Amino acid sequence: MSRLVVVSNRVAPIDEGKQAAGGLAVAVLAALKKTGGIWFGWSGNVVEGESQDEPRRTDVGRLTYATLDLGRRDFEEYYNGFANQTLWPLFHYRLGLIEVSRRTREGYKRVNGYFADRLAPLLRPDDMVWVHDYHLIPFGEELRQKGCQQRMGFFLHTPFPAPEVLSVLPNHRELIRELCAYDLVGFHTQVDLRCFANYIRFETNGEVEERADGSMLIRAFDRTLLARAFPISIDTANLESLAQTAARSRHTERLKESLVGRRLIIGVDRLDYSKGLPQRFQAFEQLLASYQEHCNRVSFLQVAPPSREDVPEYIAIRRELSELSGRINGRFAEFDWVPIRYLNKSFGRRVLAGFYRTANVGLVTPLRDGMNLVAKEYVACQDPDDPGVLVLSCFAGAARELGEALIVNPFDVEGVADALQRALIMPQGERKERHAAMMRTLRAHDIGWWRESYVDALTRAPYG
Ligand code: F6P
C-alpha cells in the first residue's frame, strides 16, 4: 500500500497522548496510521523575519509530522491576506468583503512554492499526496514544476462558488489551472462540483464527462483529472457514546441547573461572518417578540470562539455581535433570566457533546458553508428517545444530506423565528422520526466512509 502524505495549512497537535480535537484531524490521523506517512504544514507559529528554512520533524510510530514556522510577512500575505481576505470571502459569496492585491496573491504563491520546495525532497515515487483546502490550491502545480509525478489529490473544505462569482477574482483562470494540476479534486457537495464543472465548460473551453456515479472527468489545461463530491462527516458512533456519558457530566449538570427548567437553543460556530450570527440573533429576538410565551422560558446559548483576529472583518463582526446581544438582552432580560448567553470561548468535544444533548434546538444558520459539522454533531449527540430539533440553513452543505431538519433561509429572519417556534412545539413522535432518519444517513456516511472513499479514489489515479 502506498504511503500517504497529507498537506494542510494547520496540522493537528503533535501529542500522542492527546486526542486530536476535530473530526478531520482524527480522520487524517487514522488514514496516516494505516499507511504510514507524513503530515506536512504550518506549525501555527509566526516568527519575526524569514519563514523557517527546514521543517521540524517529529516521528510518532510510522507517522512523521513535518511543520514549518511562518515569517511575519508570509503569514500576513498568505494566511491573513490572500487566503482569508480574498479567497475566503470570495468562496463564501461575500464580494463586498474581498480585498484584491497583487502583493498578497504573490505572497500566497510564494508560500505555496516554499512549502512545496520543503516537501519535495521528503517524497518517495510511490507516495500519494493529499492536499487540503483553499490555502494550498497552487501547491500541486508547484510540486509538479519540481518534477514530482506522484498521485496528487486536493480536497476543498469550503464552498466552490459559481463561475460568475469566481470571475470577480483577477487571474481566476490561473487559480483554476493550478487546481487542475491535481489528479483528483474533491468537493463537499454536487452543487460545488457543478459550479466547478460549469467553470471548466464556460471559462476554459475544457471538457466535462459526467460519469454514472456522479463524478466528472475533466479535461482542461492539458490535463485530465477526476472531480467528485465527497461529503465530509463526523465520527458518528464515537459522538453517540460520548454524548451518552457527557449527559451526566459536571458541565452538563451545571448547564441544566442554570436553566432552571427553561428550554435551550444552542449555536456553536467559529466567530466568522459566514456563519450568519447577526441574523441568527435577530431571529431569536423575533421569536421572543412574536411568540411571547417563550419569554423567560427559553434561553439561547451561542458559543463563538474568536478566529482570524488580525483580519478587520473579524474585528468588525465581533463588535457587531457584542452590541447586538447587549441590545437584545437589554430589551428582554428579566432580573432572573438573560435571553442570550453569548460566549467568546471554546469548549472541548466532551463538554460540547453534553451541551448538544441538553439543547432542545440546534440552530445552525450560516449564510454559506462548505458542510458544517456542528449540524451533524448536534444530531449525533441527541437522546434518540427524546431528541432535539435541528434548524439548518439551506446554504450549508449539510442541508443536502440532512433534509429531515427544519431547513431555513438564514437571511429570512422572520422565517427562522417561525422555524424556532415550530421546533420548540414539535411533538415527540415527529422529533423521533426526523432524528432517526438523519441518524441513518450519519451512520452510513461517517468520517471513516469519507476518508476511505477519497483515498480509494486517489489510489486509482491517474485518470488520464
Ligand atoms: O472551513 C474551512 C476551514 O479550513 C475548516 O476546515 C477549519 O475549521 C477552519 O476553516 C479553520 O480556520 P483557521 O485555520 O483559519 O482557524
PDB file of all heavy atoms in Angstrom, residues 295-323:
ATOM      1  N   CYS A 295     -40.798  34.089  26.430  1.00  0.00           N
ATOM      2  CA  CYS A 295     -40.018  35.000  27.271  1.00  0.00           C
ATOM      3  C   CYS A 295     -39.874  34.373  28.663  1.00  0.00           C
ATOM      4  O   CYS A 295     -40.850  33.893  29.240  1.00  0.00           O
ATOM      5  CB  CYS A 295     -40.705  36.363  27.376  1.00  0.00           C
ATOM      6  SG  CYS A 295     -40.584  37.272  25.842  1.00  0.00           S
ATOM      7  N   ASN A 296     -38.665  34.371  29.133  1.00  0.00           N
ATOM      8  CA  ASN A 296     -38.322  33.762  30.430  1.00  0.00           C
ATOM      9  C   ASN A 296     -38.529  32.244  30.452  1.00  0.00           C
ATOM     10  O   ASN A 296     -38.502  31.610  31.509  1.00  0.00           O
ATOM     11  CB  ASN A 296     -39.113  34.423  31.579  1.00  0.00           C
ATOM     12  CG  ASN A 296     -38.302  34.392  32.874  1.00  0.00           C
ATOM     13  OD1 ASN A 296     -37.344  33.621  32.992  1.00  0.00           O
ATOM     14  ND2 ASN A 296     -38.672  35.209  33.843  1.00  0.00           N
ATOM     15  N   ARG A 297     -38.764  31.653  29.264  1.00  0.00           N
ATOM     16  CA  ARG A 297     -38.966  30.188  29.211  1.00  0.00           C
ATOM     17  C   ARG A 297     -37.930  29.505  28.302  1.00  0.00           C
ATOM     18  O   ARG A 297     -37.805  28.288  28.308  1.00  0.00           O
ATOM     19  CB  ARG A 297     -40.356  29.869  28.667  1.00  0.00           C
ATOM     20  CG  ARG A 297     -41.503  30.375  29.504  1.00  0.00           C
ATOM     21  CD  ARG A 297     -42.353  29.203  29.936  1.00  0.00           C
ATOM     22  NE  ARG A 297     -43.124  29.371  31.151  1.00  0.00           N
ATOM     23  CZ  ARG A 297     -43.673  30.463  31.647  1.00  0.00           C
ATOM     24  NH1 ARG A 297     -43.470  31.616  31.079  1.00  0.00           N
ATOM     25  NH2 ARG A 297     -44.393  30.425  32.739  1.00  0.00           N
ATOM     26  N   VAL A 298     -37.225  30.307  27.504  1.00  0.00           N
ATOM     27  CA  VAL A 298     -36.236  29.742  26.576  1.00  0.00           C
ATOM     28  C   VAL A 298     -34.950  30.565  26.671  1.00  0.00           C
ATOM     29  O   VAL A 298     -35.014  31.799  26.704  1.00  0.00           O
ATOM     30  CB  VAL A 298     -36.731  29.799  25.100  1.00  0.00           C
ATOM     31  CG1 VAL A 298     -35.675  29.241  24.155  1.00  0.00           C
ATOM     32  CG2 VAL A 298     -38.029  29.047  24.929  1.00  0.00           C
ATOM     33  N   SER A 299     -33.796  29.877  26.704  1.00  0.00           N
ATOM     34  CA  SER A 299     -32.508  30.582  26.644  1.00  0.00           C
ATOM     35  C   SER A 299     -31.785  30.170  25.364  1.00  0.00           C
ATOM     36  O   SER A 299     -31.947  29.046  24.896  1.00  0.00           O
ATOM     37  CB  SER A 299     -31.634  30.217  27.834  1.00  0.00           C
ATOM     38  OG  SER A 299     -32.197  30.750  29.002  1.00  0.00           O
ATOM     39  N   PHE A 300     -30.997  31.079  24.862  1.00  0.00           N
ATOM     40  CA  PHE A 300     -30.206  30.802  23.654  1.00  0.00           C
ATOM     41  C   PHE A 300     -28.724  30.898  24.040  1.00  0.00           C
ATOM     42  O   PHE A 300     -28.263  31.962  24.455  1.00  0.00           O
ATOM     43  CB  PHE A 300     -30.591  31.823  22.578  1.00  0.00           C
ATOM     44  CG  PHE A 300     -29.710  31.836  21.353  1.00  0.00           C
ATOM     45  CD1 PHE A 300     -29.083  30.685  20.890  1.00  0.00           C
ATOM     46  CD2 PHE A 300     -29.520  33.008  20.630  1.00  0.00           C
ATOM     47  CE1 PHE A 300     -28.282  30.696  19.762  1.00  0.00           C
ATOM     48  CE2 PHE A 300     -28.728  33.043  19.495  1.00  0.00           C
ATOM     49  CZ  PHE A 300     -28.103  31.886  19.064  1.00  0.00           C
ATOM     50  N   LEU A 301     -28.031  29.773  23.907  1.00  0.00           N
ATOM     51  CA  LEU A 301     -26.602  29.738  24.211  1.00  0.00           C
ATOM     52  C   LEU A 301     -25.822  29.752  22.901  1.00  0.00           C
ATOM     53  O   LEU A 301     -25.947  28.822  22.102  1.00  0.00           O
ATOM     54  CB  LEU A 301     -26.282  28.447  24.990  1.00  0.00           C
ATOM     55  CG  LEU A 301     -24.805  28.119  25.230  1.00  0.00           C
ATOM     56  CD1 LEU A 301     -24.115  29.184  26.077  1.00  0.00           C
ATOM     57  CD2 LEU A 301     -24.661  26.751  25.915  1.00  0.00           C
ATOM     58  N   GLN A 302     -25.072  30.803  22.671  1.00  0.00           N
ATOM     59  CA  GLN A 302     -24.249  30.886  21.468  1.00  0.00           C
ATOM     60  C   GLN A 302     -22.780  30.852  21.862  1.00  0.00           C
ATOM     61  O   GLN A 302     -22.265  31.760  22.514  1.00  0.00           O
ATOM     62  CB  GLN A 302     -24.535  32.171  20.686  1.00  0.00           C
ATOM     63  CG  GLN A 302     -23.635  32.363  19.464  1.00  0.00           C
ATOM     64  CD  GLN A 302     -23.817  31.280  18.402  1.00  0.00           C
ATOM     65  OE1 GLN A 302     -24.927  31.054  17.939  1.00  0.00           O
ATOM     66  NE2 GLN A 302     -22.729  30.607  18.005  1.00  0.00           N
ATOM     67  N   VAL A 303     -22.096  29.780  21.471  1.00  0.00           N
ATOM     68  CA  VAL A 303     -20.657  29.650  21.701  1.00  0.00           C
ATOM     69  C   VAL A 303     -19.967  30.105  20.419  1.00  0.00           C
ATOM     70  O   VAL A 303     -20.261  29.583  19.339  1.00  0.00           O
ATOM     71  CB  VAL A 303     -20.298  28.173  22.013  1.00  0.00           C
ATOM     72  CG1 VAL A 303     -18.799  28.004  22.159  1.00  0.00           C
ATOM     73  CG2 VAL A 303     -21.030  27.702  23.267  1.00  0.00           C
ATOM     74  N   ALA A 304     -19.082  31.098  20.531  1.00  0.00           N
ATOM     75  CA  ALA A 304     -18.441  31.640  19.317  1.00  0.00           C
ATOM     76  C   ALA A 304     -16.993  32.021  19.610  1.00  0.00           C
ATOM     77  O   ALA A 304     -16.676  33.185  19.873  1.00  0.00           O
ATOM     78  CB  ALA A 304     -19.219  32.855  18.802  1.00  0.00           C
ATOM     79  N   PRO A 305     -16.081  31.035  19.557  1.00  0.00           N
ATOM     80  CA  PRO A 305     -14.676  31.359  19.804  1.00  0.00           C
ATOM     81  C   PRO A 305     -14.107  32.273  18.714  1.00  0.00           C
ATOM     82  O   PRO A 305     -14.341  32.021  17.524  1.00  0.00           O
ATOM     83  CB  PRO A 305     -13.969  29.999  19.797  1.00  0.00           C
ATOM     84  CG  PRO A 305     -14.933  29.039  19.207  1.00  0.00           C
ATOM     85  CD  PRO A 305     -16.310  29.601  19.340  1.00  0.00           C
ATOM     86  N   PRO A 306     -13.391  33.330  19.106  1.00  0.00           N
ATOM     87  CA  PRO A 306     -12.803  34.248  18.117  1.00  0.00           C
ATOM     88  C   PRO A 306     -11.851  33.536  17.175  1.00  0.00           C
ATOM     89  O   PRO A 306     -11.243  32.528  17.529  1.00  0.00           O
ATOM     90  CB  PRO A 306     -12.042  35.257  18.970  1.00  0.00           C
ATOM     91  CG  PRO A 306     -12.675  35.172  20.309  1.00  0.00           C
ATOM     92  CD  PRO A 306     -13.132  33.756  20.469  1.00  0.00           C
ATOM     93  N   SER A 307     -11.728  34.074  15.966  1.00  0.00           N
ATOM     94  CA  SER A 307     -10.963  33.425  14.917  1.00  0.00           C
ATOM     95  C   SER A 307     -10.356  34.512  14.044  1.00  0.00           C
ATOM     96  O   SER A 307     -10.922  35.599  13.918  1.00  0.00           O
ATOM     97  CB  SER A 307     -12.000  32.582  14.171  1.00  0.00           C
ATOM     98  OG  SER A 307     -11.620  32.229  12.903  1.00  0.00           O
ATOM     99  N   ARG A 308      -9.187  34.269  13.435  1.00  0.00           N
ATOM    100  CA  ARG A 308      -8.541  35.193  12.477  1.00  0.00           C
ATOM    101  C   ARG A 308      -8.608  36.640  12.986  1.00  0.00           C
ATOM    102  O   ARG A 308      -9.068  37.560  12.290  1.00  0.00           O
ATOM    103  CB  ARG A 308      -9.224  35.061  11.105  1.00  0.00           C
ATOM    104  CG  ARG A 308      -9.219  33.618  10.640  1.00  0.00           C
ATOM    105  CD  ARG A 308     -10.014  33.358   9.401  1.00  0.00           C
ATOM    106  NE  ARG A 308     -10.136  31.923   9.205  1.00  0.00           N
ATOM    107  CZ  ARG A 308     -10.933  31.329   8.333  1.00  0.00           C
ATOM    108  NH1 ARG A 308     -11.684  32.049   7.534  1.00  0.00           N
ATOM    109  NH2 ARG A 308     -10.983  30.022   8.237  1.00  0.00           N
ATOM    110  N   GLU A 309      -8.128  36.798  14.188  1.00  0.00           N
ATOM    111  CA  GLU A 309      -8.383  38.045  14.913  1.00  0.00           C
ATOM    112  C   GLU A 309      -7.653  39.273  14.384  1.00  0.00           C
ATOM    113  O   GLU A 309      -7.930  40.384  14.818  1.00  0.00           O
ATOM    114  CB  GLU A 309      -8.046  37.838  16.393  1.00  0.00           C
ATOM    115  CG  GLU A 309      -9.021  36.898  17.057  1.00  0.00           C
ATOM    116  CD  GLU A 309      -8.659  36.625  18.494  1.00  0.00           C
ATOM    117  OE1 GLU A 309      -9.006  37.452  19.347  1.00  0.00           O
ATOM    118  OE2 GLU A 309      -8.001  35.591  18.763  1.00  0.00           O
ATOM    119  N   ASP A 310      -6.693  39.057  13.446  1.00  0.00           N
ATOM    120  CA  ASP A 310      -5.994  40.225  12.888  1.00  0.00           C
ATOM    121  C   ASP A 310      -6.733  40.800  11.690  1.00  0.00           C
ATOM    122  O   ASP A 310      -6.370  41.850  11.167  1.00  0.00           O
ATOM    123  CB  ASP A 310      -4.585  39.828  12.386  1.00  0.00           C
ATOM    124  CG  ASP A 310      -3.749  39.231  13.487  1.00  0.00           C
ATOM    125  OD1 ASP A 310      -3.941  39.643  14.638  1.00  0.00           O
ATOM    126  OD2 ASP A 310      -2.915  38.343  13.186  1.00  0.00           O
ATOM    127  N   VAL A 311      -7.722  40.064  11.178  1.00  0.00           N
ATOM    128  CA  VAL A 311      -8.391  40.490   9.943  1.00  0.00           C
ATOM    129  C   VAL A 311      -9.527  41.465  10.295  1.00  0.00           C
ATOM    130  O   VAL A 311     -10.374  41.159  11.137  1.00  0.00           O
ATOM    131  CB  VAL A 311      -8.924  39.249   9.179  1.00  0.00           C
ATOM    132  CG1 VAL A 311      -9.695  39.649   7.938  1.00  0.00           C
ATOM    133  CG2 VAL A 311      -7.772  38.299   8.830  1.00  0.00           C
ATOM    134  N   PRO A 312      -9.548  42.659   9.656  1.00  0.00           N
ATOM    135  CA  PRO A 312     -10.508  43.702  10.058  1.00  0.00           C
ATOM    136  C   PRO A 312     -11.969  43.249  10.078  1.00  0.00           C
ATOM    137  O   PRO A 312     -12.719  43.606  10.983  1.00  0.00           O
ATOM    138  CB  PRO A 312     -10.308  44.804   9.004  1.00  0.00           C
ATOM    139  CG  PRO A 312      -8.955  44.567   8.432  1.00  0.00           C
ATOM    140  CD  PRO A 312      -8.629  43.125   8.602  1.00  0.00           C
ATOM    141  N   GLU A 313     -12.383  42.424   9.101  1.00  0.00           N
ATOM    142  CA  GLU A 313     -13.793  41.997   9.050  1.00  0.00           C
ATOM    143  C   GLU A 313     -14.160  41.139  10.265  1.00  0.00           C
ATOM    144  O   GLU A 313     -15.327  41.086  10.663  1.00  0.00           O
ATOM    145  CB  GLU A 313     -14.086  41.198   7.771  1.00  0.00           C
ATOM    146  CG  GLU A 313     -14.097  42.031   6.499  1.00  0.00           C
ATOM    147  CD  GLU A 313     -12.715  42.498   6.051  1.00  0.00           C
ATOM    148  OE1 GLU A 313     -11.692  41.866   6.443  1.00  0.00           O
ATOM    149  OE2 GLU A 313     -12.633  43.504   5.329  1.00  0.00           O
ATOM    150  N   TYR A 314     -13.182  40.462  10.826  1.00  0.00           N
ATOM    151  CA  TYR A 314     -13.454  39.625  12.004  1.00  0.00           C
ATOM    152  C   TYR A 314     -13.533  40.493  13.257  1.00  0.00           C
ATOM    153  O   TYR A 314     -14.288  40.197  14.179  1.00  0.00           O
ATOM    154  CB  TYR A 314     -12.385  38.522  12.149  1.00  0.00           C
ATOM    155  CG  TYR A 314     -12.544  37.462  11.078  1.00  0.00           C
ATOM    156  CD1 TYR A 314     -12.116  37.707   9.769  1.00  0.00           C
ATOM    157  CD2 TYR A 314     -13.170  36.250  11.341  1.00  0.00           C
ATOM    158  CE1 TYR A 314     -12.289  36.768   8.762  1.00  0.00           C
ATOM    159  CE2 TYR A 314     -13.351  35.307  10.345  1.00  0.00           C
ATOM    160  CZ  TYR A 314     -12.905  35.566   9.060  1.00  0.00           C
ATOM    161  OH  TYR A 314     -13.093  34.644   8.063  1.00  0.00           O
ATOM    162  N   ILE A 315     -12.761  41.574  13.269  1.00  0.00           N
ATOM    163  CA  ILE A 315     -12.841  42.528  14.394  1.00  0.00           C
ATOM    164  C   ILE A 315     -14.219  43.184  14.356  1.00  0.00           C
ATOM    165  O   ILE A 315     -14.897  43.322  15.371  1.00  0.00           O
ATOM    166  CB  ILE A 315     -11.706  43.577  14.277  1.00  0.00           C
ATOM    167  CG1 ILE A 315     -10.346  42.871  14.361  1.00  0.00           C
ATOM    168  CG2 ILE A 315     -11.842  44.670  15.341  1.00  0.00           C
ATOM    169  CD1 ILE A 315      -9.138  43.746  14.045  1.00  0.00           C
ATOM    170  N   ALA A 316     -14.674  43.502  13.126  1.00  0.00           N
ATOM    171  CA  ALA A 316     -15.970  44.199  12.978  1.00  0.00           C
ATOM    172  C   ALA A 316     -17.136  43.300  13.395  1.00  0.00           C
ATOM    173  O   ALA A 316     -18.048  43.749  14.102  1.00  0.00           O
ATOM    174  CB  ALA A 316     -16.138  44.656  11.529  1.00  0.00           C
ATOM    175  N   ILE A 317     -17.110  42.035  12.998  1.00  0.00           N
ATOM    176  CA  ILE A 317     -18.247  41.153  13.321  1.00  0.00           C
ATOM    177  C   ILE A 317     -18.293  40.902  14.835  1.00  0.00           C
ATOM    178  O   ILE A 317     -19.370  40.814  15.431  1.00  0.00           O
ATOM    179  CB  ILE A 317     -18.211  39.817  12.512  1.00  0.00           C
ATOM    180  CG1 ILE A 317     -19.464  38.954  12.779  1.00  0.00           C
ATOM    181  CG2 ILE A 317     -17.025  38.958  12.795  1.00  0.00           C
ATOM    182  CD1 ILE A 317     -20.593  39.295  11.890  1.00  0.00           C
ATOM    183  N   ARG A 318     -17.134  40.861  15.448  1.00  0.00           N
ATOM    184  CA  ARG A 318     -17.100  40.653  16.898  1.00  0.00           C
ATOM    185  C   ARG A 318     -17.769  41.815  17.619  1.00  0.00           C
ATOM    186  O   ARG A 318     -18.574  41.640  18.524  1.00  0.00           O
ATOM    187  CB  ARG A 318     -15.645  40.490  17.349  1.00  0.00           C
ATOM    188  CG  ARG A 318     -15.550  40.087  18.789  1.00  0.00           C
ATOM    189  CD  ARG A 318     -14.161  39.657  19.153  1.00  0.00           C
ATOM    190  NE  ARG A 318     -14.152  39.202  20.538  1.00  0.00           N
ATOM    191  CZ  ARG A 318     -13.099  38.763  21.159  1.00  0.00           C
ATOM    192  NH1 ARG A 318     -11.953  38.676  20.538  1.00  0.00           N
ATOM    193  NH2 ARG A 318     -13.176  38.379  22.420  1.00  0.00           N
ATOM    194  N   ARG A 319     -17.436  43.032  17.155  1.00  0.00           N
ATOM    195  CA  ARG A 319     -18.020  44.221  17.772  1.00  0.00           C
ATOM    196  C   ARG A 319     -19.541  44.236  17.547  1.00  0.00           C
ATOM    197  O   ARG A 319     -20.325  44.459  18.460  1.00  0.00           O
ATOM    198  CB  ARG A 319     -17.376  45.479  17.173  1.00  0.00           C
ATOM    199  CG  ARG A 319     -17.823  46.737  17.913  1.00  0.00           C
ATOM    200  CD  ARG A 319     -17.129  48.012  17.448  1.00  0.00           C
ATOM    201  NE  ARG A 319     -15.694  47.880  17.269  1.00  0.00           N
ATOM    202  CZ  ARG A 319     -15.056  48.106  16.116  1.00  0.00           C
ATOM    203  NH1 ARG A 319     -15.721  48.459  15.038  1.00  0.00           N
ATOM    204  NH2 ARG A 319     -13.752  47.996  16.028  1.00  0.00           N
ATOM    205  N   GLU A 320     -19.944  43.907  16.325  1.00  0.00           N
ATOM    206  CA  GLU A 320     -21.371  43.930  15.989  1.00  0.00           C
ATOM    207  C   GLU A 320     -22.163  42.965  16.882  1.00  0.00           C
ATOM    208  O   GLU A 320     -23.240  43.304  17.390  1.00  0.00           O
ATOM    209  CB  GLU A 320     -21.532  43.536  14.509  1.00  0.00           C
ATOM    210  CG  GLU A 320     -22.976  43.588  14.042  1.00  0.00           C
ATOM    211  CD  GLU A 320     -23.135  43.130  12.585  1.00  0.00           C
ATOM    212  OE1 GLU A 320     -22.126  42.896  11.889  1.00  0.00           O
ATOM    213  OE2 GLU A 320     -24.303  42.987  12.168  1.00  0.00           O
ATOM    214  N   LEU A 321     -21.597  41.784  17.104  1.00  0.00           N
ATOM    215  CA  LEU A 321     -22.331  40.784  17.895  1.00  0.00           C
ATOM    216  C   LEU A 321     -22.406  41.157  19.364  1.00  0.00           C
ATOM    217  O   LEU A 321     -23.415  40.886  20.030  1.00  0.00           O
ATOM    218  CB  LEU A 321     -21.690  39.412  17.718  1.00  0.00           C
ATOM    219  CG  LEU A 321     -21.931  38.801  16.334  1.00  0.00           C
ATOM    220  CD1 LEU A 321     -21.064  37.583  16.119  1.00  0.00           C
ATOM    221  CD2 LEU A 321     -23.411  38.457  16.163  1.00  0.00           C
ATOM    222  N   SER A 322     -21.346  41.784  19.872  1.00  0.00           N
ATOM    223  CA  SER A 322     -21.379  42.213  21.276  1.00  0.00           C
ATOM    224  C   SER A 322     -22.491  43.240  21.462  1.00  0.00           C
ATOM    225  O   SER A 322     -23.281  43.177  22.408  1.00  0.00           O
ATOM    226  CB  SER A 322     -20.057  42.852  21.694  1.00  0.00           C
ATOM    227  OG  SER A 322     -19.043  41.919  21.549  1.00  0.00           O
ATOM    228  N   GLU A 323     -22.579  44.172  20.507  1.00  0.00           N
ATOM    229  CA  GLU A 323     -23.604  45.221  20.607  1.00  0.00           C
ATOM    230  C   GLU A 323     -25.004  44.629  20.484  1.00  0.00           C
ATOM    231  O   GLU A 323     -25.906  44.938  21.248  1.00  0.00           O
ATOM    232  CB  GLU A 323     -23.387  46.276  19.514  1.00  0.00           C
ATOM    233  CG  GLU A 323     -22.210  47.171  19.848  1.00  0.00           C
ATOM    234  CD  GLU A 323     -21.785  48.077  18.677  1.00  0.00           C
ATOM    235  OE1 GLU A 323     -22.520  48.173  17.681  1.00  0.00           O
ATOM    236  OE2 GLU A 323     -20.686  48.647  18.791  1.00  0.00           O
TER     237      GLU A 323
END
